[in-house]
């Protein structure tokens, strides 16, 4: 009987293990059905991971570009519109729009090395393609069409009256300022004027019609164009300041359309008077009070 039982157990084991063999036709069908499905899932996940944002571009879903004073440009994907950079702002030299951004309408990205200081690194900036001045309907001169368009964005109805600057009486952009200095020193006034046609600047003192420097050897006047187009800067310099130099000095600018003036007062003080003056005006000049006595209770 023991031999019979042993033979029966072996038969059962053999029959049971045969169901897990891969040669079984049913098992082949299961493998064929499962493996392709699992492979498709992995492939879809890989494709979605590698897909860039630009490939998913939908122009109809782009946000509206608002407040663009220099017009619009395409983003780095070439899909959505965004605000272009204004004149003077940094920009990308290429068209990829990947770092600083692209310049707006009528602007180009350039590197200007003319105004670089020692040790400064050149940086590309947006520069207007046309550098000719235009006259606006508001009577204001815009140095180029880009500046005009930027102003027109916020000024409804602003239009171009003509090419070139507006014809106007002189405008004193930087008037002379009041000065106080010690006798024997050198002082100077400065006056900066905009005008078209170009203005002539003269200096006078205390309401007199005599044009300085006259025959006074310690007074000199110098003028030059700039700092901007259609501007003129003039300096009145007094060397060896004397008490008699104190008074009101007037910058007078005139052209064919009219004249304008601005005045400043010069004070000439002796050394002792200058010391007292500085002490009295220290708070206003330097923004702090006289040193206090810290022995007092300041809690």
């Amino acid at each position: 009987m023991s031999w019979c039982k042993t033979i029966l157990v072996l038969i059962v084991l053999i029959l049971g293990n045969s169901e897990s063999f891969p040669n079984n036709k049913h098992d082949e069908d299961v493998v064929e059905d499962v493996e392709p499905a699992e492979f498709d899932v992995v492939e879809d996940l890989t494709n979605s991971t590698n897909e860039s944002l630009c490939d998913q571009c939908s122009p109809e879903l782009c946000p509206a570009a608002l407040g663009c004073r220099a017009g619009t440009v395409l983003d780095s994907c070439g899909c959505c519109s965004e605000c272009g950079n204004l004149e003077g702002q940094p920009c990308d030299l290429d068209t990829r729009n990947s770092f600083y951004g692209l310049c707006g309408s009528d602007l180009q990205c350039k590197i200007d090395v003319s105004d670089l200081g020692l040790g400064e690194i050149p940086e590309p900036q947006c520069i207007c393609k046309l550098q000719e001045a235009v006259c606006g309907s508001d009577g204001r001169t815009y140095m180029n069409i880009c500046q005009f368009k930027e102003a027109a964005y916020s000024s409804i109805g602003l239009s171009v009256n003509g090419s070139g600057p507006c014809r106007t009486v002189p405008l004193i952009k930087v008037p002379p300022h009041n000065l106080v200095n010690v006798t024997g020193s050198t002082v100077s006034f400065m006056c900066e004027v905009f005008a078209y046609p170009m203005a002539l600047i003269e200096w006078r003192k205390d309401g007199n019609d005599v044009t300085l420097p006259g025959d006074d050897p310690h007074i000199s006047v110098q003028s030059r164009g700039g700092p901007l187009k259609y501007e003129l800067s003039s300096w009145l310099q007094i060397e060896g300041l004397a008490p008699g130099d104190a008074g009101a000095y007037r910058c007078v600018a005139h052209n064919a359309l009219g004249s304008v003036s601005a005045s400043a007062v010069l004070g000439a003080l002796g050394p002792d008077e200058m010391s007292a003056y500085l002490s009295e005006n220290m708070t206003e000049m330097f923004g702090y009070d006289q040193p206090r006595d810290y022995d007092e209770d300041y809690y």
Side-chain angles (χ1 to χ4, degrees), residues 28-44:
E28 289 180 353
D29 294 339
V30 172
V31 172
E32 290 176 358
D33 291 339
V34 173
E35 288 183 352
E38 292 177 349
F39 179 77
D40 290 341
V41 171
V42 174
E43 184 178 15
D44 290 343

Side-chain angles (χ1 to χ4, degrees), residues 157-185:
L158 182 62
S159 60
V160 175
N161 271 359
S163 59
C166 300
R167 293 177 60 85
T168 179
V169 297
L171 170 66
I172 296 180
K173 297 184 64 177
V174 181
H177 296 285
N178 296 337
L179 294 173
V180 177
N181 214 329
V182 66
T183 53
S185 63

Side-chain angles (χ1 to χ4, degrees), residues 121-142:
I121 299 175
E123 186 177 67
Q125 291 185 346
C126 294
I127 299 174
C128 195
K129 296 178 182 178
L130 301 176
Q131 288 296 325
E132 297 299 324
V134 295
C135 179
S137 57
D138 56 355
R140 178 182 170 188
T141 296
Y142 298 90

Side-chain angles (χ1 to χ4, degrees), residues 13 20 68 97 99 114 118 125 140 154 212 230-231 255 274-275:
L13 291 174
S20 62
C68 301
N97 193 4
F99 193 70
S114 59
L118 183 62
Q125 291 185 346
R140 178 182 170 188
S154 55
L212 298 174
Y230 315 109
E231 290 184 357
N255 64 6
M274 191 65 185
S275 178

Side-chain angles (χ1 to χ4, degrees), residues 31-102:
V31 172
E32 290 176 358
D33 291 339
V34 173
E35 288 183 352
E38 292 177 349
F39 179 77
D40 290 341
V41 171
V42 174
E43 184 178 15
D44 290 343
L45 290 174
T46 302
N47 289 339
S48 62
T49 301
N50 293 335
E51 216 173 64
S52 68
L53 294 175
C54 293
D55 293 336
Q56 300 175 2
C57 171
S58 298
E60 65 276 7
L61 299 180
C62 292
L66 303 176
C68 301
R69 291 178 291 165
T72 60
V73 296
L74 290 178
D75 61 11
S76 56
C77 293
C79 176
C80 298
S81 294
E82 62 183 16
C83 292
N85 293 353
L86 297 168
E87 184 178 26
Q89 290 185 329
C91 53
D92 293 330
L93 286 170
D94 55 27
T95 59
R96 289 179 295 179
N97 193 4
S98 57
F99 193 70
Y100 291 118
L102 300 180

